[in-house]
Amino acid sequence: MNNDYPIPDNELQRLAALKRYNILDTLPDNAFDDATKLVSYICGVPIAHISFIDENRQWFKSEIGIGVSEVPREITFCNYTILDTKIVEINDTHLSERFKNDPNVTGGFNVRFYAGVPITTPDGYNIGTLCAVDHVVKELNENQRNALSIVAKHVMAQLEIGTKNIQLDAQRKIAEKAVLARDSFLANMSHEIRTPLNSIIGFTDLLAQTELDEVQRDYIESVQIAGENLLLIVNDILDLSKIESGNLAIESEPFNLKKTLKHVYNLLKVKAQKEVDFNLFLDAEMPDNVVGDQGRLNQILVNLIGNSLKFTNEGEVTVSVKKLEETEDNYTLKFSVKDTGIGIHEDKLTTIFERFTQGEESTTRTYGGTGLGLNIVKELIELQHGEIHVKSTPNRGSEFFFIISYKKGNPAQPAVKSMSINNLGRLKILLCEDNALNQKLAKSVINNFGFDLDIAQNGEEGIELLSQNKYDLVLMDLQMPVKDGYQTTEYIRNEMNSTIPIIAMTAHSLVGEQERCYKVGMNAYVPKPFKQAVLLKAIKTVMNPNIELTPKRIIDLSFLDEMACGDLEFKKEMINLFIEKIPSQTEQLEEAFRKEDHDAVKMLSHNMKSSLDIFMLEDLSNCAAIIEEEAAAREFTTETLDKMNVLHCGITEVVKILKEL
């Protein structure tokens, strides 16, 4: 190291502290430029700068009157400032033994006056300086000196904030990756659990349709209940995952409220114990028909009423619904579930809606349950802009009540024909499925419907059978060896030019998967474990070409509305920009991915992510985040390809909807 200038005793630690802030050779920054202007103004000087000193140079982060970005360390005054803890002020350099012959005093910058304050880290290292310089003799007053010290502290605070933001950003990315990994794990686990569960529930249903004696029927019903309960737990975990990732959409469809409530009541009254009166009271003024999410109302009521019936051994459980308010467009309704059960202690009432929490530690052992139900109920009610409350006394009973507003609806049109009756004749169906149990189950169900079934072990076999025989319909599992469901469908559509209806069947629940199915040319989507009525409905739907098949994505424009502050032109411009830019960026991204250009993929996916966030497309933004992470790691995997496909399909769908807007 050159010793023509003084070196602080803690030089190695000082340099390490400087590197910690990653400030050297960074781009200009308004916050630092403003600080330099302030120093020039306060001290009335033509030269001011914020600089940092590394091993061999003084680098200027911001400067006025200097015109260069760095100078060699040995010719700087600041070498002496970083040795001090307070302001260094030289009123007349011509009178200073140390500086009177300095090249920047006799020429160069013609320094006559110098004042410098060290920029000191919280742990005490002087990494740089804040300076005021003039060509004339000058003396600062006390206020000017104090102001210089305050600005130097402000500069240090800016550096700290920058570093903290980088750390927070890194932690946010780690957290996002953890959430994505968890969601992916949950989706895969649900697939692994649902595949055997599909067989258990399916074969039990088939067995229940055969001739059985009373004991056998009792056993079968027990297996059915256990299977349904296990499925509820899997669905609870998936619902939680969807709520957290913002991908659980609330439907808005007309439905008959009274019929829904009576259906839930009839469904659950078999669970009431003999000593318990189970009642349903409906307000005379309650509307028959409303517009909202019937399925989620069912889920909320089944959970709350199910809990009351589970925890009430005698007395009564009363469900009541009352109209609180009616406007031109909406009804506000109060739903109440009141029981005379075990009740909840006052200190537990505040935590009862938290996940994995139950009123007592012994509750899980005595009554079972995951402790997820009430948390999901609360989330579902709040997603519908409602609120839920609880009142309870131990050993006296509880009342859960929630308030939701529904739009007014017209009387729901009765379905033209039942979907559970086969009136399609004897269809010939091809099943592409590699799991032996699922093959056997599907064969029994399809034969029960009165259809014929051929089975292919994988996509290749399926294509072979399709080319040899005439089929009315294909049931396509998505996860298969050799050729998966997507590849097989693409081949059928593009190479064979066939328009045969294809129904996707999968135990997976990955975000965007349905869109991807429709994108490659499938006509419908049935999740496993499938209900016989749901499968028959899907078959009828695809065999009737007049029915709209693809479910529409709901786009949340609330963040854009907030940004627009009522400016419709701005909102329109933002939507048009999305429609114009994002598809071409997607093409560029796919091209860069094909060329394995990691840097371009990283940059493009990062840029797209912010646009997707504005339109609150969290599932697609998560895909872009994974693609960016994999590009940063410079290694593309099959997951990257999967996310590219989901992103492509999702953006195509979104652009189509935005164009219609």
Side-chain angles (χ1 to χ4, degrees), residues 570-581:
F570 172 79
K571 186 176 170 183
K572 194 174 169 186
E573 195 180 325
M574 290 294 283
I575 291 172
N576 286 338
L577 265 173
F578 188 97
I579 293 167
E580 186 189 324
K581 300 279 184 205

Side-chain angles (χ1 to χ4, degrees), residues 31 94 110 153 235 371 379 420 442 521 542:
H94 289 183
N110 292 314
K153 284 176 185 160
N235 288 342
E379 297 272 13
S420 58
V542 299

Side-chain angles (χ1 to χ4, degrees), residues 8 19 48 70 123 137 192 209 227 349 384 458 460 599 645:
K19 286 191 169 67
E70 60 183 65
D123 47 357
V137 175
E192 295 304 319
Q209 292 165 22
L349 287 175
Q384 296 174 82
N458 56 56
E460 287 281 19
D599 293 332
N645 285 328

Side-chain angles (χ1 to χ4, degrees), residues 208-226:
Q209 292 165 22
T210 62
E211 289 291 321
L212 300 169
D213 63 36
E214 213 168 301
V215 176
Q216 288 169 328
R217 187 156 299 284
D218 185 40
Y219 288 166
I220 285 297
E221 281 171 7
S222 299
V223 175
Q224 280 177 313
I225 290 164

Side-chain angles (χ1 to χ4, degrees), residues 124 133 137 157 187 194 215 227 303 308 385 409 429 486 519 542 553 573:
V133 176
V137 175
R194 280 165 179 261
V215 176
N303 204 300
S308 281
H385 311 292
I429 295 175
Y486 296 115
K519 181 72 185 170
V542 299
R553 174 190 274 274
E573 195 180 325

Side-chain angles (χ1 to χ4, degrees), residues 351-591:
T351 59
I352 197 76
F353 292 108
E354 289 175 12
R355 67 187 57 164
F356 307 116
T357 303
Q358 294 191 322
E360 293 289 339
E361 295 302 314
S362 60
T363 302
T364 304
R365 290 195 298 277
T366 313
Y367 297 97
T370 58
L372 290 173
L374 285 177
N375 178 256
I376 290 169
V377 162
K378 182 173 185 281
E379 297 272 13
L380 289 176
I381 289 168
E382 287 174 357
L383 277 173
Q384 296 174 82
H385 311 292
E387 53 187 71
I388 183 165
H389 303 278
V390 59
K391 292 190 279 196
S392 189
T393 310
N395 305 316
R396 296 279 297 279
S398 308
E399 181 187 10
F400 285 85
F401 60 94
F402 61 96
I403 296 163
I404 291 183
S405 287
Y406 287 110
K407 286 183 184 153
K408 290 186 171 179
N410 300 320
Q413 294 297 314
V416 179
K417 51 189 174 187
S418 166
M419 279 292 185
S420 58
I421 302 164
N422 170 21
N423 51 9
L424 295 169
R426 198 161 186 90
L427 297 180
K428 191 168 169 60
I429 295 175
L430 172 64
L431 170 71
C432 297
E433 165 70 76
D434 63 313
N435 182 293
L437 273 174
N438 285 345
Q439 289 173 359
K440 194 173 176 191
L441 170 62
K443 192 167 183 63
S444 299
V445 170
I446 295 296
N447 290 345
N448 269 7
F449 290 160
F451 304 144
D452 293 327
L453 186 77
D454 285 351
I455 296 170
Q457 303 282 347
N458 56 56
E460 287 281 19
E461 270 188 36
I463 289 163
E464 189 68 29
L465 284 169
L466 262 179
S467 59
Q468 292 167 4
N469 307 303
K470 187 176 184 327
Y471 295 100
D472 298 296
L473 172 77
V474 179
L475 298 177
M476 184 75 72
D477 184 43
L478 295 183
Q479 294 89 24
M480 292 184 294
V482 190
K483 246 191 178 62
D484 67 22
Y486 296 115
Q487 294 165 325
T488 309
T489 302
E490 281 176 333
Y491 188 91
I492 292 167
R493 295 288 182 246
N494 302 329
E495 304 300 319
M496 299 176 78
N497 291 322
S498 169
T499 56
I500 186 168
I502 300 174
I503 298 175
M505 296 178 73
T506 178
H508 241 309
S509 288
L510 282 173
V511 171
E513 191 174 55
Q514 285 193 48
E515 279 165 26
R516 191 176 165 196
C517 287
Y518 293 119
K519 181 72 185 170
V520 296
M522 297 187 202
N523 304 83
Y525 181 99
V526 174
K528 295 178 189 173
F530 62 82
K531 294 280 186 192
Q532 294 186 36
V534 173
L535 178 60
L536 185 57
K537 182 178 178 180
I539 291 171
K540 290 184 156 209
T541 303
V542 299
M543 296 310 289
N544 179 353
N546 301 323
I547 294 174
E548 175 69 32
L549 298 172
T550 313
K552 260 213 177 148
R553 174 190 274 274
I554 297 161
I555 299 179
D556 184 353
L557 296 175
S558 57
F559 181 69
L560 187 58
D561 287 334
E562 206 177 297
M563 284 170 65
C565 300
D567 184 344
L568 290 176
E569 275 309 306
F570 172 79
K571 186 176 170 183
K572 194 174 169 186
E573 195 180 325
M574 290 294 283
I575 291 172
N576 286 338
L577 265 173
F578 188 97
I579 293 167
E580 186 189 324
K581 300 279 184 205
I582 293 292
S584 64
Q585 282 185 358
T586 311
E587 281 177 29
Q588 289 167 22
L589 182 67
E590 288 170 345
E591 182 61 26

Side-chain angles (χ1 to χ4, degrees), residues 336-355:
S336 162
V337 179
K338 198 170 185 179
D339 64 55
T340 55
I342 60 172
I344 304 158
H345 285 283
E346 192 177 346
D347 60 336
K348 300 285 183 185
L349 287 175
T350 51
T351 59
I352 197 76
F353 292 108
E354 289 175 12
R355 67 187 57 164

Side-chain angles (χ1 to χ4, degrees), residues 634-646:
R634 309 195 79 74
E635 185 185 359
F636 292 140
T637 63
T638 49
E639 190 183 14
T640 327
L641 178 62
D642 185 57
K643 298 302 172 205
M644 293 288 283
N645 285 328
V646 172

